[in-house]
Amino acid sequence: MLRQLKLTRDGDALVARLAPSQASAMYEALTYLRAPNAGDEELTLLVGAGREAVDAVVERLAGSHTESFDIRLRWEELHMVHSALTTAPTMFLTRGVFTEEPFHIQLGFYRENFDALALAIVNAAAQV
């Protein structure tokens, strides 16, 4: 997974250049947290937005991307993605200890991939 992300300003929004693995990690984090039993209140607590907003971003990230592509995100949507990447691993704590194998099996990534992408988002946003 690429550990860098490029963001450019586009009016009130941002355009992110995503590698396929980055888009997939974002998609997996968001879809895991918006499981069928997650209500709007729970999602708002976890990622700062309800199901409708989460579904809109998930839909734009969906697909089997084979090449890098651009996605337009509002700041609050970028925050939602960042929150999903940092929150999803907390769902895999057992007695206060992170369980890597179930995380990797369920989401298809290692925690350090999510951490690196979340940091890349912060670093890229600071450069905009």
Side-chain angles (χ1 to χ4, degrees), residues 68-89:
S68 294
F69 68 100
D70 291 340
I71 182 171
R72 190 172 192 275
L73 298 166
R74 294 185 320 272
W75 281 97
E76 57 269 19
E77 292 173 326
L78 186 64
H79 176 266
M80 179 194 320
V81 170
H82 180 266
S83 294
L85 291 167
T86 58
T87 299

Side-chain angles (χ1 to χ4, degrees), residues 55-72:
D55 286 347
V57 173
V58 164
E59 187 175 302
R60 293 184 353 244
L61 289 168
S64 59
H65 303 283
T66 57
E67 295 181 15
S68 294
F69 68 100
D70 291 340
I71 182 171
R72 190 172 192 275

Side-chain angles (χ1 to χ4, degrees), residues 1-2 4-5 17-25 65 67-69:
M1 172 175 302
L2 297 174
Q4 292 186 9
L5 183 75
R17 168 64 71 161
L18 298 180
S21 60
Q22 292 171 322
S24 180
H65 303 283
E67 295 181 15
S68 294
F69 68 100

Side-chain angles (χ1 to χ4, degrees), residues 28-72:
E28 292 298 333
L30 285 166
T31 56
Y32 179 76
L33 293 172
R34 78 149 167 70
N37 60 342
D40 277 344
E41 295 84 6
E42 182 181 1
L43 279 171
T44 299
L45 176 64
L46 295 173
V47 298
R51 181 171 293 279
E52 187 176 317
V54 171
D55 286 347
V57 173
V58 164
E59 187 175 302
R60 293 184 353 244
L61 289 168
S64 59
H65 303 283
T66 57
E67 295 181 15
S68 294
F69 68 100
D70 291 340
I71 182 171
R72 190 172 192 275

Side-chain angles (χ1 to χ4, degrees), residues 99-116:
T99 52
E100 182 74 48
E101 187 174 358
F103 179 85
H104 185 261
I105 290 168
Q106 181 73 37
L107 297 171
F109 290 90
Y110 294 103
R111 182 180 184 167
E112 57 262 25
N113 300 133
F114 275 34
D115 292 344

